[in-house]
């Protein structure tokens, strides 16, 4: 896994400017949560937002690529890579964060980890 602390800090700082977020390490990356709902992932210093059947088209129209865990295996992912320009533009970031959080809240995902009792770290605790 290639997750730099500087990238994690920048993503959390930018997201914290538009929404209440927390995070924790999962698998080979970091899960990002809004009020206990996982709406994003960071894998290999790339930020991915969750989509559902209704929002998938919006992500594809914006040219966002779906997360592929392995190159050899093509799976239909519900996470799409957020472009750097969106991460650096608060209004755009807020827009896409709302879409991803709504998709995470309404979706029926078997991989949803919001019921785990593992503590979630908050930005305040990271300082």
């Amino acid at each position: 896994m290639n997750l730099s602390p500087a990238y994690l800090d920048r993503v959390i700082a930018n997201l914290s400017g538009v929404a209440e977020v927390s995070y924790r390490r999962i698998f080979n990356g970091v899960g990002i949560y809004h009020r206990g709902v996982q709406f994003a992932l960071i894998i290999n210093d790339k930020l991915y937002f969750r989509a559902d059947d209704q929002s998938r088209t919006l992500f594809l129209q914006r040219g966002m690529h779906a997360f592929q865990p392995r190159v050899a295996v093509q799976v239909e992912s519900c996470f799409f890579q957020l472009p750097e320009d969106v991460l650096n533009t608060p209004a755009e970031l807020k827009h896409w964060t709302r879409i991803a959080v709504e998709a995470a809240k309404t979706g029926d995902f078997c991989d949803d980890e919001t019921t785990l009792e593992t503590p979630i770290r908050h930005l305040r605790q990271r300082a």
Side-chain angles (χ1 to χ4, degrees), residues 1-64:
M1 173 183 79
N2 181 18
L3 178 63
S4 67
Y7 185 77
L8 175 61
D9 288 345
R10 185 166 68 89
V11 167
I12 297 300
N14 287 6
L15 284 170
S16 294
V18 300
E20 177 186 323
V21 296
S22 55
Y23 71 96
R24 71 166 182 208
R25 291 201 175 271
I26 58 169
F27 307 113
N28 291 327
V30 169
I32 301 176
Y33 301 80
H34 173 69
R35 298 183 179 161
V37 176
Q38 183 187 2
F39 72 95
L41 290 172
I42 300 175
I43 305 283
N44 294 325
D45 282 355
K46 293 180 180 150
L47 177 61
Y48 297 90
F49 273 14
R50 191 182 293 263
D52 59 11
D53 290 339
Q54 288 74 37
S55 63
R56 180 179 304 276
T57 304
L58 298 173
F59 286 90
L60 292 171
Q61 286 174 345
R62 180 63 163 83
M64 298 181 194

Side-chain angles (χ1 to χ4, degrees), residues 73-90:
V73 178
Q74 294 292 315
V75 296
E76 189 170 324
S77 177
C78 60
F79 287 94
F80 287 81
Q81 186 178 348
L82 200 72
E84 283 296 312
D85 65 308
V86 172
L87 181 59
N88 297 320
T89 309

Side-chain angles (χ1 to χ4, degrees), residues 64-125:
M64 298 181 194
H65 300 286
F67 171 69
Q68 291 296 317
R70 292 185 215 119
V71 176
V73 178
Q74 294 292 315
V75 296
E76 189 170 324
S77 177
C78 60
F79 287 94
F80 287 81
Q81 186 178 348
L82 200 72
E84 283 296 312
D85 65 308
V86 172
L87 181 59
N88 297 320
T89 309
E92 280 279 305
L93 185 58
K94 187 174 189 175
H95 170 76
W96 288 102
T97 299
R98 284 181 177 166
I99 291 171
V101 168
E102 188 63 28
K105 284 181 179 178
T106 61
D108 183 19
F109 304 104
C110 60
D111 65 338
D112 194 337
E113 298 184 11
T114 58
T115 59
L116 295 179
E117 295 179 11
T118 305
I120 298 174
R121 289 185 249 173
H122 295 274
L123 184 62
R124 290 185 294 274
Q125 296 172 336

